[in-house]
Amino acid sequence: MTRPAHRLSRLADYPLAILTARVQQLIAQGIPVIRLDIGSPDMPPAPTVIKALAEQSARPDMHGYAGYRGTPAVRRAFAGYYQRRFGVTVNADSEVLPLLGSKEGIVNLCLAYLDAGDVALVPDIGYPSYSLGAQLAGADIHWLPVREDTGYLPDLDAIPADILHRAKMLWLNYPNNPTGATVDLAFYERAVAFCREHDILLASDNPYCDVTFDSYRAPSVLQVAGALDCVVEFNSLSKTFNMAGWRVGAAIGNREALKHLLTVKSNMDSGHFFPIYAASTVALETTTQNWLDERNAIYQRRRDALVAALPEIGLAGQCPRGSLYVWGRVTDGRTGAAYCAAALDGAQVALVPGDAYGPGGVQYVRFSIGMDDVRFDEAIARLKAWWAKGG
Ligand SMILES: Cc1ncc(COP(=O)(O)O)c(C=O)c1O
């Protein structure tokens, strides 16, 4: 068998895939693991969305290729959503590009913009696809330290001049996976000014903008005046509308950047299934704030229960105002990886070690709150009992 390409050696296996394999091994042995490692909503989309998929897929004329750029209706639905939700006006034809989930667009944007020798500015705790995309493109990563005491915000002014000179992309993600950190519009204003000054493409990943708590409303970087000059924002139906398995997202922003993204993308995939675009249009256009609020209240109860339990399970952490996660710092000096291994063995609860999100996460673990109430509460009880016996 011939050897695979050298570029594969630059890619570790997707960090969560390694953990998943280990958990599945235990489950196959009959061990009743509760999986708080998966960042997937545990609830379905609104019934109208499911009905639209069923109805549209029953039509005989809905089964051909739907095109590389999604349907005009779904592009308009994303644009309408940005108008209503953020007061941001974008052109549905040139400033919106539907994606097969935002992950696809994140990696393909890296392929569109990064060559060997280029630098991607990536927070040292963050969603793995930002660095994996840069590695796949053969570019260098400059890790931006993000720390608990500064709200997990990068200090853009601390980036060395020689790095800035080679930097082509900056990745931001608030509400953040995995830390739950959030920002206000003033932070985005500084980031846009910085990227304009240094001719850097600002890639803002915003899939949790509607998974928020305590009346917090997450902004979009596109609300900043002039952002369309240098920004691509990724959004997704996965978390906002409980549609993670449907694989629908969008890139919204600078038209030139979306054209380059489409050049890569149209050589990789041939679009989605018409009924999925149609049902996504329904989700974007008809899901009410009330539906989102009721769903978020369920997450918020779980968040509160877990944050209250952190001191009783050897962790410290802040109360996140958004995202699907609670981020805990291990307080007894162990690494997050050691804590997770012990929790899996001792409590049969699967968590993600913080170093899966970058070098800044070594002392941390991530919990997902996307688990039904009964098993979620059972997981907390198991962890408390395990920790009381010595962890
Ligand atoms: C920060 C962040 N970006 C992107 C994604 C990918 O989402 P999608 O399902 O749209 O590909 C995730 C998924 O967990 C995420 O947490």
Side-chain angles (χ1 to χ4, degrees):
M1 181 66 181
T2 188
R3 61 157 184 78
H6 291 305
R7 86 175 62 82
L8 275 199
S9 62
R10 287 198 294 271
L11 294 181
D13 282 337
Y14 188 69
L16 300 183
I18 301 169
L19 180 97
T20 303
R22 214 171 110 232
V23 170
Q24 277 167 352
Q25 234 173 18
L26 293 175
I27 291 172
Q29 289 163 21
I31 297 169
V33 176
I34 300 178
R35 302 204 53 181
L36 301 189
D37 57 316
I38 304 174
S40 190
D42 59 299
M43 294 169 272
T48 44
V49 178
I50 295 169
K51 186 164 169 267
L53 177 67
E55 283 173 3
Q56 294 295 319
S57 58
R59 282 175 50 173
D61 57 344
M62 284 284 146
H63 300 273
Y65 291 117
Y68 300 115
R69 300 170 55 233
T71 57
V74 79
R75 288 197 301 275
R76 279 196 303 272
F78 273 111
Y81 166 83
Y82 262 70
Q83 187 72 63
R84 285 190 309 280
R85 173 65 179 81
F86 300 113
V88 166
T89 305
V90 287
N91 183 302
D93 284 329
S94 55
E95 292 167 337
V96 176
L97 179 61
L99 302 168
L100 309 180
S102 59
K103 185 176 183 178
E104 169 257 297
I106 289 167
V107 174
N108 282 333
L109 190 70
C110 295
L111 296 180
Y113 271 85
L114 299 173
D115 284 315
D118 292 337
V119 168
L121 303 171
V122 182
D124 74 351
I125 304 173
Y127 185 61
S129 296
Y130 316 142
S131 55
L132 293 178
Q135 282 164 342
L136 195 57
D140 297 328
I141 295 157
H142 178 76
W143 294 112
L144 302 175
V146 285
R147 295 292 169 267
E148 200 172 330
D149 57 0
T150 48
Y152 297 103
L153 303 187
D155 179 1
L156 301 177
D157 297 326
I159 302 169
D162 60 320
I163 295 292
L164 267 186
H165 186 64
R166 292 196 289 135
K168 305 237 340 243
M169 295 177 85
L170 166 66
W171 285 99
L172 297 176
N173 160 229
Y174 300 97
N176 182 262
N177 174 12
T179 63
T182 50
V183 291
D184 54 21
L185 196 59
F187 171 76
Y188 285 143
E189 282 165 356
R190 291 196 298 280
V192 168
F194 173 86
C195 287
R196 286 170 72 126
E197 181 186 344
H198 297 285
D199 196 19
I200 291 170
L201 176 62
L202 200 173
S204 176
D205 188 18
N206 204 6
Y208 298 99
C209 61
D210 280 319
V211 183
T212 56
F213 317 119
D214 308 324
S215 306
Y216 170 71
R217 292 284 279 171
S220 159
V221 67
L222 293 174
Q223 289 171 257
V224 177
L228 282 171
D229 291 347
C230 65
V231 169
V232 171
E233 177 153 288
F234 290 95
N235 214 309
S236 173
L237 271 53
S238 294
K239 317 293 160 111
T240 296
F241 303 109
N242 296 348
M243 293 169 69
W246 294 53
R247 314 307 305 130
V248 183
I252 295 131
N254 180 271
R255 59 184 68 190
E256 198 67 18
L258 297 195
K259 229 163 55 189
H260 299 314
L261 174 56
L262 180 62
T263 301
V264 176
K265 187 179 161 46
S266 59
N267 282 286
M268 297 265 195
D269 72 69
S270 300
H272 225 320
F273 183 40
F274 269 122
I276 285 190
Y277 286 134
S280 298
T281 303
V282 169
L284 285 158
E285 289 181 343
T286 69
T287 304
T288 61
Q289 188 59 44
N290 198 39
W291 184 91
L292 295 172
D293 290 344
E294 283 177 11
R295 188 274 315 278
N296 289 347
I298 294 171
Y299 286 148
Q300 186 169 327
R301 188 207 67 81
R302 297 175 194 163
R303 176 206 66 168
D304 289 343
L306 179 53
V307 169
L310 290 179
E312 296 172 66
I313 57 175
L315 300 172
Q318 293 163 358
C319 195
R321 289 192 298 171
S323 87
L324 208 53
Y325 312 104
V326 171
W327 182 239
R329 178 167 39 81
V330 184
T331 52
D332 71 355
R334 267 189 278 186
T335 62
Y339 182 98
C340 288
L344 191 53
D345 282 347
Q348 288 82 51
V349 176
L351 311 171
V352 188
D355 61 359
Y357 302 96
V362 171
Q363 283 307 123
Y364 292 82
V365 299
R366 189 198 78 169
F367 295 77
S368 166
I369 56 174
M371 172 60 68
D372 67 80
D373 287 345
V374 172
R375 275 183 298 170
F376 191 78
D377 292 344
E378 162 74 13
I380 295 177
R382 282 191 198 175
L383 287 165
K384 281 184 181 171
W386 160 71
W387 192 255
K389 278 191 273 166

